[in-house]
Amino acid sequence: AVAEVLSLLLGADGHQVEHEADVRDARARFAAGAFDLVLCDQHLPDGCGRELLAKLRQIDPALTGFLVTGDPESLHSSSPGSIDGVLAKPVSRDDLRRAVSVARARSRDGFSDQARSGDA
C-alpha cells in the first residue's frame, strides 16, 4: 500500500514511476543511468532494502537512494553507506519532494523526471 501511495504522489508531480515488489525483480529491471531515484523499503519479501541499494549503487554510482521504513531509529546504529537518506513511514509529500530534490541536485545531466518507487 505504501508503494502505491508513493507511486501516485510521484506521478501526480509529473514523474515517471516504475514499481517492483521485491529484490529479484528490482535487480532484473535496473540498469545504470535509467533511474535518478530509488525509494526502497527496508524490509522486502526476499531481502534487505539497504543491501539492494548497495548493489544498485555499485551498478550506478550516481544513483540517489532512500530507504523507506517504519522504524528509522533502527538505522542510526549503522553507517549510511549506500543510502542518501531515510523516509519514515508514513511518508509525507514534503519528505518525498525533498528526496526528489536530492536526486536533482546529485544528477550529473539534470533530472529526467524518472523515479522508482515502491517496495523495491
Side-chain angles (χ1 to χ4, degrees):
V2 172
E4 291 177 23
V5 170
L6 295 178
S7 295
L8 289 171
L9 291 172
L10 286 165
D13 280 351
H15 304 290
Q16 183 181 359
V17 178
E18 294 187 34
H19 168 248
E20 301 300 334
D22 57 38
V23 171
R24 186 195 71 217
D25 290 344
R27 289 191 67 193
R29 186 99 183 226
F30 189 79
F35 300 94
D36 297 306
L37 174 63
V38 172
L39 303 178
C40 186
D41 200 285
Q42 172 64 9
H43 302 287
L44 300 168
D46 61 346
C48 171
R50 179 183 290 276
E51 291 172 7
L52 173 60
L53 286 175
K55 290 183 188 306
L56 298 182
R57 180 72 59 81
Q58 288 175 349
I59 297 167
D60 185 355
L63 177 69
T64 300
F66 278 74
L67 281 177
V68 179
T69 180
D71 185 16
E73 295 301 317
S74 69
L75 300 175
H76 291 306
S77 61
S78 57
S79 63
S82 61
I83 66 170
D84 295 292
V86 175
L87 298 176
K89 294 177 188 176
V91 178
S92 73
R93 188 171 215 159
D94 288 340
D95 288 342
L96 188 58
R97 286 177 173 161
R98 278 190 282 279
V100 170
S101 293
V102 170
R104 283 186 175 143
R106 286 196 58 182
S107 178
R108 297 181 298 247
D109 303 318
F111 195 72
S112 66
D113 285 337
Q114 283 192 12
R116 182 177 200 121
S117 170
D119 299 331

